[in-house]
Amino acid sequence: MKNVESPLRVAVVGAAGRMGMEVVRALSGLEDVQVVAAIDRVEVGKRTADLIGRDVADLPIEEALDKALDRTGAQVVVDFTNGTVAGDNALVALARGAAPVIGASGVPADKIEAIRKACSEKGVPAIIVPNFAIGGVLMMHFAQLAARWMPSAEIVEMHHDQKLDAPSGTSLRTAEMIAAGRAGEFKAPETKIVHAEGARGALVGEVPIHSVRLKGLVAHQRVLFGGVGELLTISHDSLDRKSFMEGVKLAVREVRTLDGLAIGLDQIMFRA
Ligand code: NAD
């Protein structure tokens, strides 16, 4: 929904990181959104225009989220730091009435519950999005549909070699969605002899996840389903960080219309 007269005020945390810089760039071009603060613990004092490009909102990188929110009255906080930091930042934002859009992966379960509670206490919504790529969200949705009919499933997620965490937030969410989509109880096949630890991946919701880290990759996932005499592979590739930006814009524009904490962009894309 566009409101050109009073653009939505957005703070970006992790603004000097790979995703954060892309977000500042993507949001800077919008009429209905204004980036009002850029927060990071590195490059503090430098200008976003020098770091990212002349055509972006020109702001100093600052360190303290609470001060930035108090000063700017940001209504939405987009966070691409890491799961632990983003969980704490969301509580800082909610305490000030700003709606968090969390892109960082791996927010701990206890923090998710704390965010859920803060959302209902403050009456301010939030969203945690494991994958902002529209095709990535569809891939997860299709995997949940397939899970009802295909008895075995394994996930191979592949990312660039600088990724800090494993398995990816997308693969964890996909495994949860497969578990939720299954028709009945399921137990992953047991391997009796394991020659090297980790050979069968990490088990999440009885779905083994295998993490590949390679130079040259961005973010890729294959969901492999096996049935009697047949295989189904659901595949998604983010070839550029730009692939996440349509989803970021959608979440930024819609988060304040949600009720409480939502997990996954599907909560916006597929709502009635
Ligand atoms: P990055 O390391 O390039 O950027 C992270 C930034 O956060 C850095 O600039 C770092 O200085 C900053 N930071 C860390 N701790 C901080 C703190 N306490 N205060 C302020 N700033 C802090 O990483 P990246 O590749 O941009 O990825 C960031 C996160 O986004 C990761 O968790 C990654 O898995 C996730 N990610 C999510 C999606 C998605 O679609 N949801 C897509 C890509 C990446």
Side-chain angles (χ1 to χ4, degrees), residues 13-14 16-20 39-42 80-82 85 103-105 129-132 160 163 165 244:
V13 198
R18 284 167 290 230
M19 286 297 289
I39 294 104
D40 206 298
R41 65 174 177 191
V42 300
F80 277 99
T81 54
N82 60 59
V85 170
S105 50
V129 181
N131 194 327
F132 279 103
H160 60 90
K163 184 168 173 58
D165 60 326
F244 302 115

Side-chain angles (χ1 to χ4, degrees), residues 16-271:
R18 284 167 290 230
M19 286 297 289
M21 287 202 276
E22 200 62 54
V23 169
V24 172
R25 187 179 291 124
L27 297 183
S28 293
L30 305 177
E31 279 185 349
D32 57 333
V33 171
Q34 186 185 3
V35 182
V36 292
I39 294 104
D40 206 298
R41 65 174 177 191
V42 300
E43 311 285 13
V44 176
K46 291 203 181 146
R47 312 270 327 170
T48 48
D50 294 330
L51 286 174
I52 304 169
R54 286 282 141 209
D55 49 347
V56 307
D58 188 18
L59 298 161
I61 301 278
E62 52 191 311
E63 204 166 3
L65 175 63
D66 52 355
K67 288 188 186 134
L69 296 183
D70 290 344
R71 193 188 67 250
T72 61
Q75 297 154 292
V76 173
V77 176
V78 180
D79 198 312
F80 277 99
T81 54
N82 60 59
T84 321
V85 170
D88 291 334
N89 285 345
L91 297 176
V92 170
L94 287 166
R96 286 162 176 78
V101 171
I102 303 177
S105 50
V107 181
D110 59 337
K111 268 296 141 58
I112 293 180
E113 282 326 301
I115 295 168
R116 198 183 299 283
K117 191 159 165 266
C119 284
S120 80
E121 281 171 7
K122 303 283 171 193
V124 182
I127 188 164
I128 298 175
V129 181
N131 194 327
F132 279 103
I134 301 295
V137 179
L138 291 171
M139 174 257 300
M140 290 189 266
H141 186 71
F142 298 153
Q144 181 162 13
L145 285 180
R148 181 170 169 210
W149 296 102
M150 302 296 284
S152 11
E154 306 224 353
I155 298 173
V156 183
E157 60 95 341
M158 300 173 279
H159 283 82
H160 60 90
D161 60 347
Q162 301 299 306
K163 184 168 173 58
L164 289 180
D165 60 326
S168 69
T170 298
S171 65
L172 289 168
R173 179 75 185 137
T174 311
E176 286 167 9
M177 289 174 74
I178 289 172
R182 276 188 160 130
E185 283 295 303
F186 182 80
K187 197 103 192 74
E190 198 187 326
T191 305
K192 296 242 163 18
I193 303 166
V194 174
H195 295 299
E197 205 182 322
R200 291 290 297 120
L203 208 56
V204 177
E206 291 298 319
V207 181
I209 303 178
H210 310 272
S211 297
V212 177
R213 296 291 175 265
L214 271 186
K215 252 186 216 325
L217 293 173
V218 181
H220 316 259
Q221 183 162 292
R222 310 284 174 260
V223 188
L224 314 173
F225 287 100
V228 180
E230 62 174 343
L231 293 174
L232 169 68
T233 305
I234 302 173
S235 175
H236 178 259
D237 299 274
S238 276
L239 304 172
D240 189 292
R241 290 190 178 84
K242 288 188 172 48
S243 66
F244 302 115
M245 294 307 126
E246 287 311 306
V248 171
K249 290 180 207 169
L250 183 65
V252 162
R253 286 175 169 141
E254 297 290 328
V255 61
R256 295 190 321 142
T257 66
L258 293 167
D259 189 17
L261 173 65
I263 298 185
L265 201 61
D266 49 320
Q267 299 298 309
I268 293 174
M269 283 169 64
F270 301 126
R271 71 179 155 175

